Amino acid sequence: MTPLHTDDLRESYREALMHTNAITDVISTDQFSAEYPDRPDWAIGPFARDPSLTFHLEGQWNDPTGVGWTSDSIFNPTLITRGDEIHLFYRASPRKESTASRIGHAVRSNGEWHDSPANPVIYPTHENEALGCEDPKIYAIDDHWVLFYNAIWRVPETGAIACDIMVAVSHDLEHWEKQGLAVPYDVSQLWAKGAVIPRDDAGRAVRIGGEYLMFLSEGCGGRPMVGHSDDLVTWRFAEQPYLDLAELGGSLHEVACAAVVGDDLVLDFFYGDENGDFAAAQALYSTDAPFTQLATHRGGSLAWGGLQRLDGDWVFAQGWDAPRGSRDMYFYRSTTPKAPTT
């Protein structure tokens, strides 16, 4: 990969400080996951906030790039457990949903959160990361962990924004070795998001049909692409339709996560409903036929980093609802749906 120029990072940071978006600035986790209409047995959720798990980021990290980078928002995290510890990996940005992001790591043990002194654990070092490193997704495999993140950059010839899916590997959840592109450019066509790999309730990647699958849902020239791998690092891709929104109406934005529960595979996804409004939903498959959709349901978690079980409940985290300028990460726990009234 080509090394990064400091001037590009400095310009990226200046642009991020000016970022605002009237829609994403007011987006709330509750609008997607707090209530599910007509919930089928296979659906995961709904969810309610668990204040006892809230993480708050204090102070500012040292900036290894030397451009004076700071953050005022954390969001789009992933959770994974190791023994009695909860490991939280999160996107930190100069402004909510801005570019110029880095990825941080915090650990909860003995009921307390501790932000890693190694932060940022992933930050821009390559030319294709000039506009930031975003949205971690982590999967346990054998004796190590694999992290996927989005690298954002600007195409020199056109000025268009590009998004790559990158991969890194760790044996301690603290130090990460970047492996490069997960999705080649002939597949991504300079934009791919959503390295969604089926995982179990402990965050372990699950083989389906003897291999690991990656569901790509945004980019790739509008083609539904699925990756196939033996080790989570090296991938081959093929066009494979797997999600039909005809029953729901609207159009797909991005698949958030994939949970394996027994023989069920549940895709949780973000879409625009029949009115064009942001919405979440889930789709059911069998692990024996992972591309044959069996059912859909309105309502989802939008747990971009995957769903995790804690104390028997499904849990995920998100920072969208933190007050402006407050770097809080809220946790949401699955609830028992109320019986319908007659």
Side-chain angles (χ1 to χ4, degrees), residues 292-309:
T292 302
Q293 184 175 315
L294 301 176
T296 56
H297 164 255
R298 293 177 186 263
S301 68
L302 297 190
W304 302 110
L307 291 156
Q308 179 86 32
R309 277 201 190 272

Side-chain angles (χ1 to χ4, degrees), residues 226-246:
V226 172
H228 305 260
S229 177
D230 295 321
D231 61 4
L232 291 186
V233 174
T234 303
W235 293 85
R236 59 192 183 280
F237 293 87
E239 186 169 350
Q240 173 63 66
Y242 60 86
L243 187 57
D244 183 356
L245 270 61

Side-chain angles (χ1 to χ4, degrees), residues 166-332:
M166 307 289 283
V167 60
V169 172
S170 175
H171 287 83
D172 63 3
L173 285 172
E174 187 84 346
H175 304 92
W176 294 87
E177 183 176 350
K178 293 181 178 180
Q179 305 294 308
L181 279 175
V183 183
Y185 290 135
D186 62 337
V187 174
S188 73
Q189 299 187 20
L190 302 184
W191 190 279
K193 290 181 71 176
V196 172
I197 296 164
R199 71 178 204 170
D200 66 14
D201 59 8
R204 294 180 294 253
V206 176
R207 290 183 183 270
I208 295 179
E211 62 184 359
Y212 299 109
L213 301 178
M214 179 191 293
F215 293 87
L216 298 180
S217 53
E218 183 178 320
C220 300
R223 300 168 297 164
M225 304 295 290
V226 172
H228 305 260
S229 177
D230 295 321
D231 61 4
L232 291 186
V233 174
T234 303
W235 293 85
R236 59 192 183 280
F237 293 87
E239 186 169 350
Q240 173 63 66
Y242 60 86
L243 187 57
D244 183 356
L245 270 61
E247 183 179 345
L248 297 174
S251 58
L252 178 67
H253 292 315
E254 187 177 351
V255 174
C257 62
V260 175
V261 187
D263 294 329
D264 289 348
L265 170 64
V266 179
L267 294 189
D268 190 292
F269 60 92
F270 180 42
Y271 74 107
D273 67 13
E274 61 270 26
N275 300 314
D277 296 328
F278 287 163
Q282 295 176 352
L284 175 66
Y285 306 77
S286 166
T287 53
D288 291 333
F291 313 128
T292 302
Q293 184 175 315
L294 301 176
T296 56
H297 164 255
R298 293 177 186 263
S301 68
L302 297 190
W304 302 110
L307 291 156
Q308 179 86 32
R309 277 201 190 272
L310 294 177
D311 305 320
D313 297 326
W314 289 100
V315 172
F316 72 96
Q318 183 55 269
W320 285 338
D321 291 294
R324 181 183 293 273
S326 173
R327 292 174 301 166
D328 289 335
M329 186 70 69
Y330 298 140
F331 284 67
Y332 299 82

